[in-house]
Amino acid sequence: MHSSFIYRVLFFLLIVSLAVSAFGQTGVAPVAGSGAAGFTGDGGQALGATLNGPTDAAVDPQGNLFIADRNNNRVRKVSTGGVITTAAGNGNAGSWYLEGGPAVSSVLNHPFAAAADAGGNLYIGDFGGFSTTSFTNLYIADEQNTTNSRIHRVNAGDGTIHEVPVPIALSGVLSIAVDAAGNLYVAERLGQRIFRVAPATGAITPIAGTGTAGFSGDGGAATAARLNNPAHLGLDAAGNLYFADSGNNRIRKVAAGTNIITTVGGTGGAGFSGDDGPAVNAQLNDPEGLSVDAAGDVFIADRGNDRVRRISGGTGLMTTVITTQATTECGSFTASLQAPASVLTNAAGDTLFIADDSGNRVWKADLHPKPIPPTLTAITPPTGAPGTQVTVTLTGTGFAGNGTPGCQTGAAAVSAGGSGITVSGITVSSDTSLTANFAIAASGSLGAHAITVGTDGGASNAATFMVSIPVAPPPSLTSIAPSSGVRGTSLTVTFTGTNFDTIAGGTNVTADDGGISIGQVTVASATSLTAVVTIGASETLGIHNLKVATTSGSSGPQAFTVTPGGLSFVYNLPQVLDPAEQTPVQVALATATPDTVTGTLTLTFTPNATNSADDPNVTFVNADTSARSSDVSFPANTTTAHLAMSNGVLQAGTVAGTIELSMANVQDGGVNVASTNGTFDIQVPRLPPVITSIAVLNLSAAGFELQLTGYSTPRDITGATFTFGAASGQKLLTVELKPDVTSPFTTYYQSPASDPTGSAFVYTQPFSITQGTIKAVASVTVTLSNSAGASMPASASLQ
């Protein structure tokens, strides 16, 4: 379909008069076709003629326009005067081509492709027959040929038609392009391949595609890549081949020489997005037509979006050139496109022909002039130092990247010559001003660096930016964050001030005490740096001075406070104590510190008894006093506690519950600190009753009393069993009694009078002799029960 670079230059020179005479200014207008489908108008003005599914356009060296009028089975010709005639095909569809005869008498079979070489010979790609009669469906991926595709040449001299003898059966030829040597590049849409064909012999050379539809291969050999319905082709001045991989919604490139395939436009997803951004991030929708100008700009007939779009050869950005509705996009035009099938550009890229398939027209677009290169007049500031980042303002013209008045694409790029300057953060403020960040490497080359600005129009002249070592003032230090750290730790500290980025030597941070070491100094800017501050485990608590130093001098000091770390305590005590048990109070530091540690060890008792009450017997005691708290100290560099209550022990009491030991008011070197393992729990379990003594009182012939002393940690007694033993030779009528003791014990344990005694009790049970004599009873044995179980039996003798 598309011509070589040499031919396109000729084409541009020859049709300038046509472009000016037809329009006289920029814009888009039809040059052939009334918009109605049909075949009329030969011999008259092309604008009044009817076409039927035009799919391609070509221009010969004389400026004549050729149209692949697919559904009319003809190739139509529009002269430079605008008159339309038939160049090939008699309107019938078939396989009789009248080889060697007049092209106008030959039979064509749905010509899709048209291309002209530098000699004016016309090449026609016959798509062939289809399995459907609805030609609106010719672009469906699973469309099948019913007859093979063929390629024909119409000789410029005598108008005769000849078949190019390709040695393989072709399927779905959609596009032909001609290179500078006259070779044909053929897109075999349904065969999923692209060939180069020698027109004289028909010999073919595979260029791209494996023959299987799909998407793969980017970065490798094009012949190993999968294509999906390749459509129109275009060649740039260097011989690189571009094609519309329409089923993959991509534009792909086959590099001259290496034959490496890459994607230059489209994400692969069907849709519309990405204008004014990188073309590889834009969405296309069934791209069909494609053409390349001398500058490497790629024009695309984005069929599914009814647009013509352009990929800039200079920047790789995607823009819209022609769309169906008015748009604010810079430099775009409006035309009522209906499924544009092909686009053809001249070498300058400012004149396009668009074959509008469903619209039954061919349009011509005279575009805005392409942008001219920018100019660069000044850089402010003009100098920078190694190891710094400088925000510069560039002044000149044409920075907006588009020559159209009022258009600003923000497409400018800034380049720095030499080594050591990295450019980022480019912001185009206007057509005459932009800002950028110059990051100058510490090892960057001193002296002049050439700076240029690049846009779609090209590169500007160079302006000079000097890299030099400045005379640096001494640093100042205004703040430190954080301004404190824990002894025995490392932390990253941010220093804020001025003149931190001295070039003629390193920037250091120093401390007034050797117990603080500082490393990993990282200068972020002239006003900010970070450093890792490591505090020794024995460093003195309190304020220390830090300074920033460069070869230009030292800053004033800033206070940095060393604080103690958290403390952990170890309790060498049993986790369970029996009632009334005593154990030495043993608490220690897990790790010694360089300073004295003080605190208060406090005891809290939480009962877990059936009848709950605090047990005042749970306490710290020694020979002199008892208390529930005691001051504790740990001398420097030791872990052993010194209690203010010397020789103190912990007394458990007799009530079931939890004894919690906690360390409060902890200070390390007089500084309040947090602590871990600050509490320790000891359980006094719920146990069956314990009878500590049994005594017989008031023994007489009438009876006696049995006095029981003991404790019950749940503070309840639920039952009592008294078993009597007979004296020798005696027989007892009553051997066992179970009097109700629950009520008196419940009353006792619920009475405030029992609180001072914990769970201890003294219980008296009277017994009366109603028959016989007291001498018959030798002994009595008693067991008591509570919610935890039964006591051990206790016995007393009555004789």
Side-chain angles (χ1 to χ4, degrees):
M1 149 185 155
H2 303 299
S3 59
S4 69
F5 170 63
I6 295 175
Y7 157 61
R8 284 186 277 116
V9 172
L10 294 172
F11 159 62
F12 170 64
L13 295 174
L14 290 167
I15 68 168
V16 166
S17 61
L18 174 62
V20 173
S21 63
F23 303 106
Q25 59 183 2
T26 58
V28 185
V31 293
S34 65
F39 173 72
T40 62
D42 269 8
Q45 288 295 307
L47 285 173
T50 55
L51 307 174
N52 196 349
T55 53
D56 204 359
V59 177
D60 69 10
Q62 287 72 43
N64 298 302
L65 173 67
F66 293 88
I67 303 167
D69 194 3
R70 180 194 66 213
N71 294 340
N72 282 323
N73 294 296
R74 289 179 166 89
V75 175
R76 313 281 288 277
K77 173 182 176 182
V78 179
S79 70
T80 56
V83 175
I84 192 169
T85 55
T86 293
N90 63 13
N92 296 316
S95 302
W96 179 73
Y97 297 102
L98 195 63
E99 298 296 338
V104 294
S105 301
S106 182
V107 174
L108 301 180
N109 198 348
H110 302 105
F112 263 76
D117 64 15
N121 299 306
L122 177 67
Y123 290 92
I124 303 168
D126 258 1
F127 200 91
F130 292 89
S131 60
T132 176
T133 58
S134 174
F135 291 113
T136 60
N137 293 326
L138 290 180
Y139 291 89
I140 297 175
D142 60 0
E143 192 67 49
Q144 297 295 320
N145 285 87
T146 56
T147 58
N148 292 336
S149 298
R150 296 174 185 268
I151 301 172
H152 308 282
R153 183 184 73 251
V154 177
N155 288 340
D158 58 11
T160 57
I161 192 168
H162 305 268
E163 183 176 359
V164 176
V166 178
I168 63 172
L170 299 176
S171 178
V173 171
L174 194 66
S175 176
I176 300 172
V178 185
D179 67 12
N183 295 306
L184 308 182
Y185 287 79
V186 178
E188 189 186 12
R189 182 183 182 93
L190 302 182
Q192 312 299 340
R193 293 175 295 183
I194 297 173
F195 299 102
R196 183 173 63 240
V197 178
T201 64
I204 63 172
T205 302
I207 298 298
T210 64
T212 300
F215 174 74
S216 67
D218 270 6
T223 51
R226 287 192 178 188
L227 319 179
N228 193 351
N229 297 336
H232 288 267
L233 311 167
L235 293 155
D236 67 10
N240 299 304
L241 176 70
Y242 296 81
F243 67 95
D245 197 357
S246 62
N248 285 320
N249 295 296
R250 294 172 184 258
I251 304 301
R252 300 175 82 178
K253 171 186 173 182
V254 179
T258 66
N259 211 50
I260 298 298
I261 190 170
T262 54
T263 293
V264 297
T267 64
F272 173 75
S273 68
D275 270 3
D276 298 324
V280 291
N281 296 336
Q283 283 186 304
L284 302 169
N285 191 354
D286 190 19
E288 292 286 348
L290 184 143
S291 186
V292 187
D293 68 12
D297 289 355
V298 180
F299 293 85
I300 307 160
D302 194 359
R303 180 185 179 90
N305 286 320
D306 292 327
R307 289 176 178 244
V308 175
R309 301 172 80 180
R310 174 171 56 199
I311 301 174
S312 168
T315 66
L317 300 178
M318 176 78 79
T319 55
T320 288
V321 177
I322 303 172
T323 183
T324 57
Q325 297 179 348
T327 175
T328 58
E329 293 175 34
C330 179
S332 66
F333 296 91
T334 301
S336 55
L337 301 180
Q338 301 177 53
S342 74
V343 61
L344 175 67
T345 180
N346 64 345
D350 57 12
T351 301
L352 305 179
F353 289 96
I354 303 102
D356 196 13
D357 183 1
S358 299
N360 296 299
R361 282 189 169 106
V362 175
W363 298 78
K364 181 182 179 184
D366 288 291
L367 306 180
H368 291 297
K370 296 185 72 173
I372 61 175
T375 62
L376 179 57
T377 57
I379 303 175
T380 306
T383 62
T388 66
Q389 178 169 293
V390 183
T391 299
V392 298
T393 299
L394 279 64
T395 306
T397 62
F399 292 167
N402 193 298
T404 305
C407 291
Q408 293 184 3
T409 65
V414 178
S415 300
S419 63
I421 297 180
T422 301
V423 182
S424 64
I426 301 169
T427 302
V428 178
S429 304
S430 68
D431 197 54
T432 60
S433 179
L434 65 82
T435 60
N437 296 324
F438 285 6
I440 308 171
S443 59
S445 301
L446 298 177
H449 292 253
I451 307 300
T452 58
V453 177
T455 67
D456 287 350
S460 74
N461 58 294
T464 298
F465 181 82
M466 295 294 296
V467 176
S468 59
I469 299 175
V471 177
S476 67
L477 182 57
T478 56
S479 66
I480 299 174
S483 59
S484 64
V486 176
R487 182 168 54 191
T489 65
S490 294
L491 68 159
T492 299
V493 177
T494 298
F495 296 77
T496 303
T498 61
N499 305 318
F500 290 167
D501 55 344
T502 301
I503 302 304
T507 299
N508 298 308
V509 178
T510 61
D512 63 2
D513 191 307
I516 297 178
S517 61
I518 300 172
Q520 300 181 38
V521 178
T522 301
V523 178
S525 69
T527 60
S528 179
L529 65 82
T530 59
V532 175
V533 176
T534 300
I535 307 167
S538 300
E539 182 55 74
T540 304
L541 299 176
I543 294 176
H544 298 262
N545 290 320
L546 303 185
K547 297 179 181 180
V548 175
T550 68
T551 55
S552 299
S554 178
S555 72
Q558 280 290 316
F560 181 82
T561 303
V562 175
T563 61
L567 299 175
S568 180
F569 294 94
V570 178
Y571 295 87
N572 297 313
L573 293 164
Q575 292 184 314
V576 177
L577 286 177
D578 288 336
E581 184 178 2
Q582 293 182 341
T583 184
V585 178
Q586 299 182 71
V587 61
L589 277 175
T591 303
T593 74
D595 301 293
T596 298
V597 175
T598 60
T600 301
L601 183 63
T602 301
L603 177 155
T604 303
F605 178 69
T606 303
N608 183 25
T610 303
N611 294 285
S612 291
D614 185 27
D615 188 349
N617 300 301
V618 179
T619 184
F620 298 131
V621 298
N622 63 9
D624 301 319
T625 186
S626 65
R628 285 194 166 180
S629 65
S630 177
D631 291 336
V632 182
S633 65
F634 299 84
N637 301 309
T638 64
T639 60
T640 303
H642 291 186
L643 272 68
M645 180 184 289
S646 60
N647 301 316
V649 297
L650 171 63
Q651 181 172 277
T654 61
V655 177
T658 301
I659 303 171
E660 181 185 81
L661 301 181
S662 61
M663 191 68 70
N665 305 319
V666 179
Q667 292 187 331
D668 188 350
V671 179
N672 292 330
V673 294
S675 62
T676 59
N677 294 340
T679 62
F680 183 80
D681 289 346
I682 301 172
Q683 302 298 321
V684 178
R686 294 168 65 97
L687 298 173
V690 174
I691 302 172
T692 58
S693 68
I694 183 170
V696 178
L697 304 177
N698 302 319
L699 179 64
S700 68
F704 63 93
E705 293 178 341
L706 194 63
Q707 185 182 69
L708 304 175
T709 303
Y711 56 84
S712 171
T713 61
R715 282 174 55 88
D716 67 347
I717 298 293
T718 59
T721 302
F722 295 87
T723 304
F724 302 97
S728 178
Q730 301 293 320
K731 181 177 181 181
L732 300 177
L733 296 177
T734 302
V735 177
E736 182 178 271
L737 289 175
K738 293 184 178 181
D740 178 16
V741 297
T742 302
S743 178
F745 271 100
T746 300
T747 300
Y748 169 70
Y749 281 127
Q750 289 181 351
S751 169
S754 69
D755 291 347
T757 65
S759 75
F761 62 83
V762 178
Y763 176 75
T764 302
Q765 177 66 51
F767 295 96
S768 299
I769 304 299
T770 58
Q771 293 184 31
T773 174
I774 191 62
K775 294 182 179 181
V777 182
S779 64
V780 61
T781 300
V782 61
T783 60
L784 298 177
S785 299
N786 64 12
S787 55
S791 71
M792 295 297 292
S795 298
S797 176
L798 274 69
Q799 301 300 326

